[in-house]
Amino acid sequence: MTVQVDRDSIAKAWRKARGEEFFFEFRPSPQAGPGNADVLRSVDEAVGAFNEAAVERYGLDDAPFAEGVSDSDQGVVALMNPGGDGDEVATWFTLLAERLSALGWAGTIRAARVTGPPAWSVDQVEIGYSIGAFARFTPWPEPQPDPNIPGVGLSEEDLSALAELVDQWNGQRTDRVYLTRGDIDGPAPVTGLGAAWIQAALRNEQAFATWVERAARTTASAALTAGAEATFAIASTSEPWQSRLEKTTRLLQQLGPRLEVGVIRLTQPYASTWSTLNSTPPAPPGRIASVNDIRLAREYTLDAYGTQVFTGRHLERAHDLSRWTITDLGNDRHLVQHPNPDAWYAHDTPDPTVLDAARYDFGELIITEEIYRAFMTEEIARRQQR
């Protein structure tokens, strides 16, 4: 048995894309086992080799190349950027099939049927901002069992808790659920979404699930990314902000004892990474500052938000939180809530006066550019001494 190329489907996808990019997939035979890590790794390594070979053979402008190698329900999917007049693409796929065959694989390379959430579900103009919960876990010190699989840096217990929450998040009525594995969107499994979401993140360093309800113009999403970070968000033109805030707060309360820090804020209409905290208005006062490093996250917060999870250490550093409601979540974690939630979540941006007062309350807990620069200087020096 060998790997075959379905040239008709590839040619049709290439014509439909009008010579632009299109998705292809390698479907291994049933004997290979769907979702086998070796399939992903084999295709990824072969793609890298043939991208380089194509440039040497055809020149930069005429070289086809593939990118975004990710899992799919059938096997492995990647994005092809064709070059030349089509013959180059055919040769590229022939070489890929020969390489996979030589590695012992059998199956078919064909054009992929990739679907994704409707455009309105991720369009802030169409659906407005989400109310999003950003959860930063304690990074798990143990490496992944397979060093070739990057993982996301969470313990088995944290992953199990997240899988359960994703299945609960899926409990709302929806028309369609999508699962993004790496760079590829596709229909989500009917059952076991949480487990599939976790596995996708472990193999691709990130995974996204998106729930869409067309009639109610509502979209919910969940993301898990490398760095022990997870986000959950809900945007809607029909569901009141109070209801959406209640859902995200309940989720943060459940995860709270496991977190280094958690934040609920207005964000883009889809779950994204923690970089969104820097890019979605309002900008934090330390505009280039970061708490991506866990050592900084344990000492500082990026900004003041209407709802956060803090450790006791964070509370000690704050200036004055006497006006805030503080709830003990266990494990030295605390839910800190502003007494006026509508000032934070009822409109596109928080009330400026309330935000300024909150920043005063947080005081030196908010990281500054100076602190961040000093930390990075020390970090560079520490690495050079290794």
Side-chain angles (χ1 to χ4, degrees):
M1 298 179 67
T2 59
V3 174
Q4 306 295 323
V5 180
D6 185 340
R7 300 192 183 280
D8 289 342
S9 73
I10 294 290
K12 183 178 179 180
W14 184 68
R15 290 194 301 270
K16 187 176 180 180
R18 298 181 179 179
E20 300 298 330
E21 60 189 19
F22 63 89
F23 287 102
F24 71 89
E25 64 187 5
F26 169 51
R27 296 186 181 184
S29 64
Q31 296 93 314
N36 187 302
D38 288 336
V39 176
L40 180 67
R41 197 153 55 238
S42 295
V43 174
D44 193 28
E45 292 173 355
V47 161
F50 291 129
N51 283 345
E52 294 181 6
V55 171
E56 294 179 2
R57 181 170 183 171
Y58 302 116
L60 187 61
D61 293 336
D62 291 328
F65 68 94
E67 58 188 342
V69 179
S70 303
D71 284 321
S72 77
D73 290 333
Q74 289 76 31
V76 181
V77 174
L79 182 66
M80 166 59 72
N81 291 272
D85 58 8
D87 290 339
E88 293 84 351
V89 174
T91 300
W92 194 97
F93 280 115
T94 297
L95 294 173
L96 178 62
E98 291 175 353
R99 171 63 65 88
L100 294 176
S101 297
L103 292 173
W105 294 107
T108 304
I109 298 171
R110 56 166 294 120
R113 298 181 178 90
V114 178
T115 60
W120 62 263
S121 68
V122 294
D123 188 338
Q124 186 266 322
V125 175
E126 288 279 338
I127 199 171
Y129 282 109
S130 287
I131 293 180
F134 294 73
R136 178 72 181 274
F137 291 78
T138 302
W140 185 239
E142 297 294 330
Q144 292 294 319
D146 185 342
N148 294 298
I149 302 177
V152 289
L154 274 75
S155 69
E156 290 292 336
E157 292 80 4
D158 288 340
L159 292 172
S160 296
L162 278 170
E164 183 177 344
L165 281 176
V166 165
D167 286 333
Q168 294 174 11
W169 209 237
N170 189 24
Q172 59 188 344
R173 182 173 61 86
T174 55
D175 298 318
R176 195 73 180 271
V177 186
Y178 301 89
L179 179 62
T180 306
R181 299 172 174 88
D183 297 324
I184 308 300
D185 287 313
V190 176
T191 59
L193 173 60
W197 181 73
I198 292 295
Q199 287 303 311
L202 289 176
R203 289 164 57 75
N204 300 284
E205 290 194 278
Q206 62 178 14
F208 301 84
T210 305
W211 296 260
V212 175
E213 187 177 351
R214 288 169 293 185
R217 217 62 169 175
T218 298
T219 180
S221 50
L224 179 59
T225 58
E229 298 172 356
T231 55
F232 294 80
I234 308 176
S236 179
T237 60
S238 61
E239 183 174 357
W241 67 265
Q242 294 94 333
S243 172
R244 291 182 283 136
L245 177 60
E246 180 182 354
K247 290 178 180 178
T248 49
T249 301
R250 186 163 58 244
L251 182 143
L252 210 58
Q253 288 172 317
Q254 290 176 273
L255 292 177
R258 301 177 177 277
L259 304 181
E260 293 290 346
V261 66
V263 169
I264 295 179
R265 66 155 296 169
L266 293 163
T267 185
Q268 301 296 333
Y270 51 86
S272 186
T273 64
W274 272 64
S275 61
T276 308
L277 295 177
N278 252 328
S279 60
T280 303
R287 290 176 181 270
I288 67 164
S290 170
V291 289
N292 285 341
D293 190 286
I294 195 64
R295 289 168 295 174
L296 284 173
R298 287 170 174 161
E299 298 287 332
Y300 302 97
T301 183
L302 191 62
D303 201 355
Y305 302 103
T307 307
Q308 295 198 200
V309 171
F310 282 148
T311 65
R313 173 61 176 162
H314 290 120
L315 296 182
E316 291 173 0
R317 296 180 59 85
H319 175 249
D320 181 11
L321 298 179
S322 59
R323 298 187 306 113
W324 297 67
T325 300
I326 302 177
T327 306
D328 188 350
L329 299 177
N331 195 32
D332 191 34
R333 294 334 190 244
H334 310 270
L335 185 69
V336 180
Q337 297 169 285
H338 192 270
N340 185 14
D342 60 337
W344 295 89
Y345 304 109
H347 305 285
D348 284 350
T349 56
D351 181 286
T353 303
V354 172
L355 178 59
D356 287 343
R359 286 172 172 170
Y360 176 79
D361 292 343
F362 279 36
E364 294 181 358
L365 183 59
I366 299 176
I367 192 170
T368 64
E369 294 181 22
E370 290 75 19
I371 292 171
Y372 177 63
R373 290 183 188 275
F375 173 84
M376 290 306 300
T377 299
E378 293 177 1
E379 178 66 10
I380 292 171
R382 184 179 67 86
R383 292 177 181 175
Q384 290 175 343
Q385 291 175 359
R386 287 181 178 178

